[in-house]
Amino acid sequence: MARAIFLDRDGVINRKAPEGSYIATLAELEILPGSIEAIAKLSGLGWRIFLISNQRGIARGMVAAADVERIHQAISQQVRSAGGEIAQVYVCPHDYSDKCDCRKPSPGMILQAAREHSLDLAQSWIVGDSLSDMQAGHSAGCRTAYLGEGEYETADITAPSLAAFVEELQKQLSGFI
């Protein structure tokens, strides 16, 4: 069974849209410094990389599903160009009221990826910037990494960026901590 890293998109790979808005086009996509290189590095270290993203804007009619797909294709292409690979992208297009099992904090996207790719969730991580990411990871049995300022008490690692998470993960796996 393979180990994986599940990455949230907005706030982890790219800059989040202002509150109440969505990244709806490629022109609005602003990749965070070092995130593409960090994904490529994780991929090179043997991790299977999955992007898992709530995209409520689709359900609300504010973002076209085809545009979300184009954004994910562009991110995946940038990662490939940097020498890495995103194994698959999972999107929850539902609104809160849909009560689906894929919208984080539910672990549905993680569990689906685990079934489809024979993943060892106990050896896997979710990296996100919200409580719902941490909850999804805990529910699925993954280790968790919170990207943001300060400490996040329910996360195994707290880091200011994806690149900093990769450095901390490498230290932990090397036994330096």
Side-chain angles (χ1 to χ4, degrees):
M1 295 188 65
R3 62 186 184 166
I5 295 187
F6 300 97
L7 300 173
D8 179 42
R9 190 188 83 181
D10 300 335
V12 173
I13 298 171
N14 60 278
R15 200 164 311 284
K16 277 188 167 187
E19 191 64 35
S21 322
Y22 301 95
I23 306 298
T25 66
L26 270 175
E28 296 170 345
L29 180 67
E30 182 182 346
I31 300 295
L32 292 170
S35 64
I36 298 297
E37 297 79 8
I39 297 168
K41 188 172 196 173
L42 289 167
S43 186
L45 292 169
W47 294 91
R48 301 284 313 272
I49 309 299
F50 296 89
L51 192 153
I52 58 171
S53 185
N54 289 344
Q55 291 297 318
R56 180 178 176 225
I58 295 171
R60 298 184 72 205
M62 298 174 73
V63 182
D67 288 329
V68 170
E69 176 63 24
R70 277 190 278 283
I71 289 167
H72 293 152
Q73 287 174 352
I75 292 169
S76 294
Q77 180 55 49
Q78 287 185 46
V79 170
R80 273 193 299 283
S81 293
E85 187 68 35
I86 293 177
Q88 191 163 342
V89 176
Y90 291 89
V91 173
C92 173
H94 305 112
D95 205 339
Y96 301 114
S97 61
D98 294 330
K99 306 237 188 281
C100 64
D101 67 352
C102 56
R103 183 175 181 76
K104 295 176 287 179
S106 169
M109 290 186 281
I110 297 170
L111 298 175
Q112 181 181 354
R115 283 190 307 273
E116 293 175 356
H117 296 274
S118 298
L119 303 175
D120 181 351
L121 294 179
Q123 297 299 314
S124 297
W125 288 79
I126 184 170
V127 181
D129 67 333
S130 70
L131 175 60
S132 67
D133 296 321
M134 300 304 102
Q135 291 170 326
H138 288 299
S139 294
C142 296
R143 299 197 62 202
T144 59
Y146 175 77
L147 300 188
E149 297 299 318
E151 293 295 315
Y152 199 82
E153 63 188 44
T154 67
D156 295 296
I157 292 177
T158 300
S161 67
L162 188 53
F165 160 73
V166 173
E167 289 177 24
E168 184 63 28
L169 180 62
Q170 284 187 285
K171 287 178 189 174
Q172 286 193 12
L173 294 176
S174 298
F176 291 123
I177 292 186

